[in-house]
């Protein structure tokens, strides 16, 4: 596969294949099932439509859900030489949040053209976007025609013409989202690495719900599957969140061999499987990739406890580490092996295996000096699939480079040539010279109170500046239509949290905040924006408030 210059070349070579290869679902109901013959035919038509409205190397937003339309638009972009920038679709967010998000991206990137859901075309025109028309939708419907706002094309830097496949926006969990420029070469190299790491073949079967605007959904799931190729079943994220157990039923029905997902996917499944009586069989699963920063041992143990009775093999679990700047993957634990951990600062850190293919990893200290084996430090990578930089932020990208090495923004260590990921540098809390990661403290709190139906999200942030925190603040999203009646329960939980953390931190009742659902800022992929949470706690925008719990429960809780 590495001999191809464009991933679409490989797909085009299968244009005579009439076997159904990919299926799309809505509410777990099959709505589309397509072969390569149908895909390539639709791509040719779509490429002509895009070429009539975009010039070569022009960048545009693709705001579509997990659907056949997205697949065709993305592949047609590669064929036409225009640059898609996948972003969250309107059906995945509240309307006001969606338009705030678009305004932020437009101001940051100056990208003015967008291909959205039909239902939002008119409003996007009124918001100043130039809306790309794909004419008759692939399903055969006739969307209304809207007047457009002609905009100046947003182009790639000229030195990157013909090289870039797409723009991948980083999640924005530790800073504003960055437009990561992914080249054709880097994309092909990383997909090759993923195929080898998971040992996929044409006999593999994937079931995935990860959104296509996320690197794990687009590259780790969709593109790796259709380029191998193997049977693929694509769900909408909202359907997985609403009915995780149906995800297991579909896995059983199609005899899936591959899952790809973040740590949170396995936590959601564990919570829903606990004490449930299910008619499922997970013995077909051969590769269950879990990619997070970090992969938590608690998550693995919880899922192992509930899934093993249904035939799940714990050795199918693959802990992985990656980021958008390296397309998606950096390293993976080996197949058919037991999970490996190493204790560091009284934490069990999970091994993500050895760096894949030609990727090199080194650990440096804050002075950019190499540290010894087993010593925690900053993770730097040197990789053939490293991105070509950040769109319009060349200065920011170069600031993270040391020669050909790139700083990932993550802390970890190497032990016996394997990489252990501790957590994100900007999520580090340092109190009296001792280091703590937000994700570990959040897990401790969740283990105390997460069983309660009122608790929807937990965030732990430092009090003070990075490197000089005095203590921590615990924020709990609480869903309750009559919060006055649960005052005693919240107070009991607050005391439990304080008792659990008091040996490490000077924490008082005011440092445990109960707030309404969806009040803790998140990225489009659901990660907590802890830097923003910390700022809002400091400015009292996030605070203990019965009214906030009440109105958010009735308005946002009911909406969910």
């Amino acid at each position: 596969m590495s001999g191809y210059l464009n991933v679409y070349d490989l797909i085009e070579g299968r244009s005579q294949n009439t076997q159904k290869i990919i299926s799309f679902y809505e509410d777990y109901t099959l709505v589309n099932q397509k072969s390569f013959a149908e895909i390539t035919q639709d791509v040719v038509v779509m490429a002509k439509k895009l070429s009539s409205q975009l010039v070569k190397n022009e960048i545009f937003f693709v705001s579509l859900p997990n659907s056949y339309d997205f697949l065709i638009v993305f592949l047609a972009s590669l064929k036409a030489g225009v640059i898609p920038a996948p972003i969250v679709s309107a059906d995945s967010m509240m309307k006001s949040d969606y338009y705030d998000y678009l305004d932020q991206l437009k101001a940051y990137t100056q990208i003015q053209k967008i291909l959205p859901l039909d239902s939002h075309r008119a409003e996007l025109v009124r918001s100043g976007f130039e809306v790309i028309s794909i004419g008759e939708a692939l399903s055969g419907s006739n969307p209304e025609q809207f007047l457009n706002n002609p905009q100046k094309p947003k182009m790639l830097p000229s030195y990157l013409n013909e090289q870039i496949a797409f723009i991948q926006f980083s999640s924005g969990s530790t800073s504003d989202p960055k437009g990561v420029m992914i080249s054709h070469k880097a994309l092909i190299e990383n997909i090759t690495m993923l195929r080898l790491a998971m040992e996929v073949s044409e006999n593999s079967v994937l079931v995935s719900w990860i959104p296509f605007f996320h690197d794990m959904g687009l590259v780790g799931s969709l593109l790796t599957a259709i380029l191998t190729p193997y049977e693929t079943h694509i769900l909408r994220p909202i359907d997985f969140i609403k009915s995780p157990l149906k995800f297991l039923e579909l896995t059983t029905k199609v005899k899936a061999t591959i899952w790809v997902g973040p740590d949170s996917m396995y936590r959601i499944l564990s919570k829903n499987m606990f004490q449930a009586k299910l008619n499922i069989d997970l013995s077909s699963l051969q590769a269950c990739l879990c990619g997070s920063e970090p992969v938590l041992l608690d998550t693995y143990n919880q899922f192992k406890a509930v899934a093993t009775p249904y035939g799940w093999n714990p050795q199918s679990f693959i802990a992985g580490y990656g980021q958008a700047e390296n397309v998606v993957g950096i390293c993976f634990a080996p197949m058919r092996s037991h999970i490996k951990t190493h204790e560091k600062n009284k934490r069990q850190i999970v091994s993500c295996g050895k760096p894949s293919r030609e990727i090199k990893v080194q650990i440096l200290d804050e002075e950019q000096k190499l540290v010894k084996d087993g010593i925690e430090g900053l993770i730097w990578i040197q990789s053939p699939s490293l991105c070509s930089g950040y769109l319009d932020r060349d200065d920011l990208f170069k600031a993270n480079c040391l020669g050909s090495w790139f700083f990932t923004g993550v802390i970890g260590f190497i032990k016996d040539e394997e990489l252990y990921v501790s957590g994100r540098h900007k999520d580090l809390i340092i109190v009296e010279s001792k280091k703590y990661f937000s994700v570990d403290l959040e897990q401790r709190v969740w283990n105390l109170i997460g069983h309660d139906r009122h608790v929807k999200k937990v965030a732990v942030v430092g009090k003070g500046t990075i490197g000089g925190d005095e203590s921590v603040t615990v924020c709990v999203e609480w869903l309750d239509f009559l919060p006055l009646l649960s005052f005693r329960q919240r107070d009991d939980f607050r005391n439990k949290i304080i008792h659990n953390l008091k040996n490490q931190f000077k924490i008082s009742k005011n440092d445990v905040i109960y707030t309404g659902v969806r009040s803790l800022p998140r990225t489009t992929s659901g990660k907590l924006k802890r830097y923003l949470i910390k700022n809002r706690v400091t400015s009292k925008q996030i605070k203990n408030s019965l009214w906030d719990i009440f109105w958010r429960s009735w308005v946002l809780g009911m909406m969910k």
Side-chain angles (χ1 to χ4, degrees):
M1 194 175 87
S2 57
Y4 288 86
L5 299 178
N6 185 322
V7 294
Y8 182 68
D9 296 340
L10 190 56
I11 295 168
E12 200 167 36
R14 301 188 179 118
S15 60
Q16 303 304 311
N17 191 330
T18 58
Q19 181 182 352
K20 303 295 185 183
I21 190 68
I22 187 165
S23 303
F24 292 89
Y25 297 76
E26 291 181 9
D27 197 20
Y28 290 96
T29 300
L30 181 65
V31 294
N32 251 322
Q33 198 170 38
K34 297 293 181 178
S35 66
F36 278 117
E38 293 167 304
I39 291 170
T40 52
Q41 185 177 1
D42 287 336
V43 165
V44 170
V45 174
M46 183 62 69
K48 291 178 180 177
K49 293 177 180 178
L50 294 179
S51 296
S52 69
Q53 299 168 80
L54 298 156
V55 297
K56 277 209 167 189
N57 299 302
E58 183 177 358
I59 307 169
F60 70 107
F61 291 130
V62 179
S63 182
L64 296 174
N66 284 16
S67 62
Y68 182 58
D69 282 6
F70 180 99
L71 172 62
I72 296 305
V73 168
F74 187 86
L75 295 178
S77 300
L78 301 183
K79 181 175 177 61
V82 295
I83 314 300
I87 60 173
V88 65
S89 62
D91 63 345
S92 300
M93 302 175 76
M94 289 179 57
K95 185 176 179 180
S96 59
D97 291 342
Y98 176 66
Y99 283 94
D100 287 346
Y101 168 71
L102 284 182
D103 288 342
Q104 178 191 11
L105 280 182
K106 187 167 70 167
Y108 167 68
T109 64
Q110 303 303 306
I111 298 173
Q112 307 286 343
K113 294 185 181 180
I114 187 168
L115 201 164
L117 288 167
D118 285 345
S119 57
H120 285 258
R121 296 171 67 84
E123 190 152 353
L124 284 166
V125 170
R126 289 194 291 269
S127 299
F129 280 96
E130 182 174 350
V131 177
I132 296 171
S133 172
I134 55 176
E136 202 168 282
L138 297 177
S139 60
S141 63
N142 291 301
E144 297 178 47
Q145 298 298 311
F146 298 108
L147 293 175
N148 252 327
N149 302 312
Q151 302 285 347
K152 182 179 178 180
K154 174 65 178 181
M155 307 297 293
L156 278 175
S158 58
Y159 69 91
L160 290 175
N161 283 353
E162 315 301 331
Q163 297 180 36
I164 301 302
F166 69 102
I167 306 294
Q168 174 72 62
F169 283 98
S170 62
S171 65
S173 56
T174 58
S175 63
D176 291 332
K178 298 176 285 288
V180 181
M181 298 186 288
I182 304 297
S183 69
H184 292 283
K185 181 181 177 182
L187 178 58
I188 291 171
E189 172 65 31
N190 212 257
I191 290 174
T192 302
M193 181 197 73
L194 282 164
R195 293 172 65 204
L196 293 173
M198 295 191 292
E199 298 182 9
V200 296
S201 70
E202 293 186 357
N203 296 320
S204 300
V205 180
L206 169 72
V207 176
S208 177
W209 59 273
I210 309 299
F212 291 162
F213 61 81
H214 192 282
D215 52 4
M216 190 180 286
L218 177 58
V219 182
S221 298
L222 180 65
L223 295 182
T224 300
I226 65 171
L227 291 178
T228 299
Y230 45 82
E231 182 183 327
T232 302
H233 300 266
I234 299 295
L235 305 166
R236 300 180 307 175
I238 187 63
D239 294 331
F240 172 79
I241 298 301
K242 286 195 303 184
S243 306
L245 297 183
K246 288 186 178 180
F247 176 81
L248 300 174
E249 292 170 5
L250 182 61
T251 295
T252 301
K253 180 180 177 181
V254 302
K255 293 183 171 55
T257 63
I258 304 170
W259 282 353
V260 176
D263 188 90
S264 59
M265 177 179 100
Y266 296 90
R267 277 188 275 120
I268 290 169
L269 290 172
S270 299
K271 187 173 182 178
N272 282 269
M273 293 172 72
F274 183 66
Q275 294 185 336
K277 294 181 180 179
L278 306 171
N279 183 25
I280 58 171
D281 180 2
L282 303 181
S283 61
S284 62
L285 288 166
Q286 299 171 12
C288 296
L289 178 61
C290 178
S292 290
E293 300 163 337
V295 174
L296 298 175
L297 181 61
D298 275 358
T299 301
Y300 167 78
N301 287 333
Q302 289 168 13
F303 185 72
K304 178 183 176 182
V306 296
T308 303
Y310 297 103
W312 184 70
N313 181 1
Q315 291 189 35
S316 68
F317 188 84
I318 304 173
Y321 165 59
Q323 59 179 197
E325 284 83 351
N326 199 59
V327 184
V328 60
I330 293 174
C331 59
F332 305 96
M335 291 275 289
R336 295 176 298 280
S337 63
H338 293 286
I339 192 169
K340 188 184 293 186
T341 63
H342 187 81
E343 186 174 313
K344 181 66 63 176
N345 300 324
K346 297 182 180 180
R347 302 168 63 219
Q348 289 296 328
I349 311 298
V350 175
S351 167
C352 293
K354 297 179 181 179
S356 302
R357 281 172 65 85
E358 298 176 25
I359 298 175
K360 296 178 181 179
V361 176
Q362 63 179 3
I363 310 298
L364 305 182
D365 62 18
E366 296 283 356
E367 282 75 43
Q368 297 182 347
K369 294 180 180 179
L370 197 65
V371 303
K372 293 181 180 179
D373 195 60
I375 302 299
E376 210 169 48
L378 310 176
I379 299 175
W380 292 71
I381 63 169
Q382 188 182 71
S383 170
S385 52
L386 188 66
C387 70
S388 301
Y390 298 140
L391 181 65
D392 296 333
R393 293 302 306 272
D394 195 47
D395 57 332
L396 183 59
F397 183 74
K398 287 180 178 177
N400 286 321
C401 292
L402 187 63
S404 60
W405 291 87
F406 178 78
F407 174 45
T408 62
V410 175
I411 294 175
F413 59 93
I414 294 175
K415 182 73 175 174
D416 299 326
E417 299 183 349
E418 296 190 8
L419 179 65
Y420 292 76
V421 176
S422 304
R424 295 180 180 178
H425 186 241
K426 289 186 178 179
D427 289 342
L428 188 63
I429 298 171
I430 303 176
V431 177
E432 295 179 353
S433 301
K434 293 183 179 179
K435 298 179 180 180
Y436 306 89
F437 286 96
S438 292
V439 66
D440 295 316
L441 299 176
E442 288 160 2
Q443 189 67 31
R444 279 172 63 177
V445 174
W446 185 265
N447 288 341
L448 286 174
I449 66 173
H451 63 278
D452 190 271
R453 62 184 176 84
H454 297 98
V455 179
K456 297 304 173 185
K457 200 76 172 178
V458 172
V460 179
V461 295
K463 287 176 63 178
T465 59
I466 293 177
D469 294 303
E470 300 167 3
S471 185
V472 294
T473 300
V474 179
C475 302
V476 180
E477 282 190 354
W478 188 268
L479 176 64
D480 196 341
F481 299 106
L482 295 171
L484 273 172
L485 301 183
S486 59
F487 173 80
R488 187 179 297 276
Q489 187 178 8
R490 290 195 302 280
D491 205 44
D492 288 345
F493 282 169
R494 180 181 279 113
N495 291 332
K496 279 187 177 182
I497 293 168
I498 292 171
H499 180 75
N500 185 272
L501 299 178
K502 68 180 182 180
N503 289 336
Q504 288 85 30
F505 309 103
K506 297 174 183 176
I507 185 170
S508 68
K509 288 193 173 185
N510 291 331
D511 296 322
V512 180
I513 296 174
Y514 288 99
T515 186
V517 291
R518 302 195 193 183
S519 59
L520 300 178
R522 297 164 171 77
T523 69
T524 53
S525 56
K527 297 176 184 176
L528 290 168
K529 289 188 173 184
R530 296 186 183 90
Y531 75 100
L532 197 51
I533 294 171
K534 182 174 180 177
N535 290 342
R536 292 186 181 180
V537 169
T538 303
S539 63
K540 306 296 184 184
Q541 290 176 272
I542 295 177
K543 59 185 178 180
N544 281 300
S545 171
L546 279 179
W547 170 245
D548 193 66
I549 294 173
F550 177 77
W551 82 259
R552 285 179 174 272
S553 295
W554 281 98
V555 177
L556 304 180
M558 292 290 284
M559 189 176 296
K560 185 176 180 181

